[in-house]
Amino acid sequence: MNRSLSITTAILAVSIAVVIHSLSTFEGGPHNGPRPIPQEAVPIWQTSELHWFVRFFMGYLYGVLGHVATMTICPSVIDWHNQKEVLLAQECMKRGRSAEDLDLAPLERMFDVNDVFIDRPEGESGNPLRVTLLKKQKSPEIANHPNAPLILFMHGGGFTVRAVKKIQSMLIFDELLKLDGDGTMMDSATFAMVEYRLAPEHAYPAATNDCLLALNHLVKEMGLGKGGVHVAGSSAGGTLAMETTLKALNIVDTFFVDEPVLPFPTTTTTVDNNKEVKWTMDSPSVRRYAYTRMPPVSWLEWSLRAYTGIETVSGEEDNLTLGTITTNVDITGGAMTASEWIQKRNDIDSTTLLPSIPLPRLILVTAMGDPLRDGGLAFKEVYAEALRKEKELLEQNYSNIAKAKGERTDDLPISKAKHFETYSGHVGFYLFEPASFSLIMKEWYDEMYDVWQSRIRKQ
C-alpha cells in the first residue's frame, strides 16, 4: 500500500514538474535565446501586483495559446516586389499570425456590417484599403440621422498581426451602444475597423498612412462623423491612434489610447562625436516584465525591427540585453513631443488659437504587468504638457480678443485628459476587469456626448 502510494506520489510530482517546465518556457521566449535577461526581471509568479489567475493565464497559459513569439525567427525586412521572398516570410509568420483565426466574435449577429474598399494614392503598394463598418442593427439611415458620430478603431498586434480586432471591436461598440440607452446619440453611429497594411511586408509609415486615408475618406468623402469624430486603438493600434490624431487635429474630437507601443528616445554618440537620437523599447516596465507572454519582449523588439525596416543579423545582437535594441525611426511621428501637438494645432490656421477648437480629449489606459506600461505613462506626461501649453496660448490670445470685444474671459473651454490604470496585464482588463472596462467606456462615452451636444447646439 505504502509502495503504491509512493509510486503514485512520485508520478504526480514528475507530472507537475513537466507541466511547470513546459509552461515556464515558450518558443521565442527569453529562456530560449542567447541574449541576457534584464537583472530587474521578476518571475511571473512573483508579480504580486497581478491577481493569481491573471498571472497564470497572461503569464503562462498565453505562451501555449498565443504563438506570436515564434515570429522572431522570421525575416524582419521583406522586399514586397519579390513574390518568392514574401511567400517564404509569410509562411514563416503563419503560426504567429494564427491569432487572427481565433477572432470568432459574431459581429454579423450583433451589428449591421459593411465593407468599404478605398483606393490607395498613386505610388502606394498593396490592394485597396479595407475598412469594415459596424452599425447598430436596423439603425436609421445617415440621411435621417445626420448628427451621428464616427469611431475609427485601429487593432493591435505589434504592427505585424491582426490580433483580436473583432473581439475588441465587439466589446467596445456593444458597451457604447448599451451606455446610449434610448439611442439618442449612437442610433446611427458608425464604428469603423481599419485593416491597415502589416509589417514587415509594409514598413512605417504604411500603417499610419492607411489610418489617415480611412479617416479622411470616411469623413470627407462619405460625410460620416458630423456628430463627432473619435479615434481609438489598442496596443500597436493605440500608437496609430496617437499619430493619426496628431496629423488630423482639425478632424478628431476625442481619442482613446489603450496600452500603446511606445519606444523611448535615447541619445548616442557616433564615431565622429555627433549626437544621434535613436528609439528603444527599454524601460523599467520592459525590464520588470521581461518574462511575460503577453506581449513577449522578444516579439516586441522583432516587431519594432519589422515596422521600421531593420534587418535582423544573426549573432550580432547576442550580447545585448533583452529589450535594448534600437531603431532610427520614431514610430509615433512626433506624438511623444508636447511641442509637436501645439505646432500641429497652430499649423492648421491662425484661428486655432481661439478656444472653439481645443486639442482633442484623451482617454488613456495603462496596465500593471504590462511591459508597455512606462511608455503609456510617458505619453500621459507629454500630453499633459501639451495641454498646459495650449491653455497658456488660449488664455493669452482669447484674453486679448475678448477684451477688445468687451467679452468675458472666464468661460474658456480647455481640453481634458483622463488616465486609467488597470491590473490585468496587457489588454487583460477587457476580460478580467468588467467593472473597470465599463467605467472607462462610460468616461469615453461622456466625452463623446459632450462633443455631440456641442454640435447640436451649433446648428
Side-chain angles (χ1 to χ4, degrees):
M1 183 70 174
N2 290 337
R3 180 180 175 81
S4 299
L5 182 60
S6 298
I7 293 174
T8 303
T9 302
I11 293 174
L12 181 60
V14 170
S15 300
I16 292 174
V18 170
V19 170
I20 291 175
H21 177 74
S22 63
L23 292 177
S24 295
T25 60
F26 60 100
E27 192 173 349
H31 292 294
N32 294 353
R35 295 174 58 193
I37 299 171
Q39 292 183 350
E40 302 94 325
V42 176
I44 295 169
W45 62 272
Q46 289 184 346
T47 51
S48 57
E49 59 268 35
L50 301 179
H51 188 274
W52 70 267
F53 181 77
V54 173
R55 280 182 253 174
F56 175 76
F57 183 84
M58 303 294 275
Y60 293 105
L61 192 58
Y62 192 83
V64 178
L65 299 177
H67 304 291
V68 292
T70 62
M71 300 171 71
T72 57
I73 64 171
C74 304
S76 56
V77 176
I78 299 174
D79 179 2
W80 174 253
H81 302 288
N82 186 328
Q83 190 63 19
K84 181 179 179 181
E85 185 176 325
V86 170
L87 291 175
L88 287 173
Q90 289 178 339
E91 181 63 28
C92 179
M93 295 183 289
K94 186 175 181 180
R95 191 177 173 205
R97 287 181 171 174
S98 64
E100 301 172 28
D101 301 329
L102 301 177
D103 243 351
L104 303 177
L107 293 178
E108 293 80 4
R109 297 180 187 176
M110 299 183 64
F111 314 109
D112 288 339
V113 182
N114 181 44
D115 283 334
V116 173
F117 293 90
I118 306 171
D119 291 331
R120 301 184 187 282
E122 187 175 350
E124 291 245 349
S125 61
N127 298 321
L129 173 63
R130 178 184 178 184
V131 181
T132 300
L133 307 182
L134 308 182
K135 293 187 67 177
K136 181 180 178 180
Q137 286 188 335
K138 300 179 181 179
S139 60
E141 294 294 327
I142 288 292
N144 300 323
H145 202 286
N147 295 310
L150 167 67
I151 303 162
L152 188 78
F153 179 74
M154 280 75 89
H155 65 79
F159 312 101
T160 61
V161 176
R162 301 200 191 285
V164 295
K165 66 171 185 176
K166 291 183 181 178
I167 294 176
Q168 284 186 318
S169 298
M170 176 193 72
L171 292 172
I172 293 172
F173 194 35
D174 185 55
E175 186 68 20
L176 292 173
L177 290 176
K178 289 176 181 177
L179 289 167
D180 199 46
D182 58 5
T184 304
M185 179 179 70
M186 301 290 291
D187 213 25
S188 290
T190 301
F191 190 100
M193 301 185 298
V194 184
E195 196 162 294
Y196 56 84
R197 287 169 292 178
L198 299 177
E201 296 95 322
H202 303 279
Y204 178 86
T208 302
N209 290 344
D210 286 353
C211 297
L212 289 167
L213 176 63
L215 179 63
N216 283 293
H217 181 87
L218 296 176
V219 172
K220 298 177 181 179
E221 302 298 326
M222 296 182 63
L224 301 179
K226 288 184 169 60
V229 176
H230 312 282
V231 172
S234 178
S235 193
T239 312
L240 293 172
M242 290 166 52
E243 186 176 2
T244 300
T245 299
L246 174 65
K247 295 181 177 179
L249 290 177
N250 59 327
I251 298 177
V252 179
D253 295 293
T254 75
F255 63 127
F256 171 61
V257 178
D258 173 28
E259 302 156 84
V261 178
L262 298 176
F264 286 81
T266 179
T267 303
T268 60
T269 304
T270 62
V271 290
D272 50 359
N273 289 326
N274 291 324
K275 298 295 183 181
E276 184 180 27
V277 176
K278 293 191 175 184
W279 300 80
T280 176
M281 297 305 305
D282 187 33
S283 70
S285 60
V286 163
R287 294 192 290 270
R288 177 173 177 80
Y289 302 121
Y291 289 115
T292 188
R293 275 72 161 163
M294 182 61 178
V297 172
S298 58
W299 175 71
L300 285 174
E301 286 192 306
W302 179 85
S303 295
L304 183 64
R305 287 197 203 95
Y307 191 43
T308 57
I310 298 177
E311 192 151 10
T312 303
V313 181
S314 179
E316 285 192 4
E317 300 163 351
D318 288 356
N319 295 324
L320 292 178
T321 301
L322 195 66
T324 60
I325 286 175
T326 60
T327 176
N328 295 323
V329 181
D330 174 11
I331 64 171
T332 73
M336 287 297 284
T337 306
S339 59
E340 192 73 14
W341 288 91
I342 298 300
Q343 186 61 52
K344 293 289 186 185
R345 175 79 276 171
N346 297 344
D347 284 347
I348 299 172
D349 58 49
S350 59
T351 64
T352 56
L353 289 181
L354 297 179
S356 57
I357 312 177
L359 285 170
R361 308 173 193 187
L362 167 67
I363 300 292
L364 173 67
V365 179
T366 58
M368 299 296 290
D370 182 7
L372 301 172
R373 178 175 180 263
D374 285 345
L377 294 177
F379 179 58
K380 174 186 175 182
E381 296 304 316
V382 166
Y383 204 67
E385 177 62 21
L387 293 180
R388 284 192 290 270
K389 291 181 178 180
E390 177 200 42
K391 183 178 180 181
E392 292 173 3
L393 288 170
L394 289 175
E395 287 176 340
Q396 176 184 346
N397 287 272
Y398 186 50
S399 176
N400 293 336
I401 295 171
K403 285 178 181 178
K405 294 182 177 181
E407 297 175 351
R408 294 172 55 187
T409 61
D410 57 357
D411 58 349
L412 184 69
I414 298 297
S415 187
K416 295 177 285 185
K418 296 181 180 179
H419 169 237
F420 299 89
E421 183 90 283
T422 60
Y423 298 88
S424 299
H426 191 63
V427 301
F429 77 100
Y430 288 90
L431 296 178
F432 302 119
E433 298 180 57
S436 296
F437 173 70
S438 296
L439 173 63
I440 293 168
M441 290 297 104
K442 177 65 166 60
E443 292 287 345
W444 190 28
Y445 173 85
D446 288 344
E447 298 295 341
M448 292 183 187
Y449 192 78
D450 284 347
V451 172
W452 181 76
Q453 282 194 316
S454 69
R455 298 290 175 89
I456 297 295
R457 287 194 296 267
K458 290 179 181 179
Q459 291 183 351

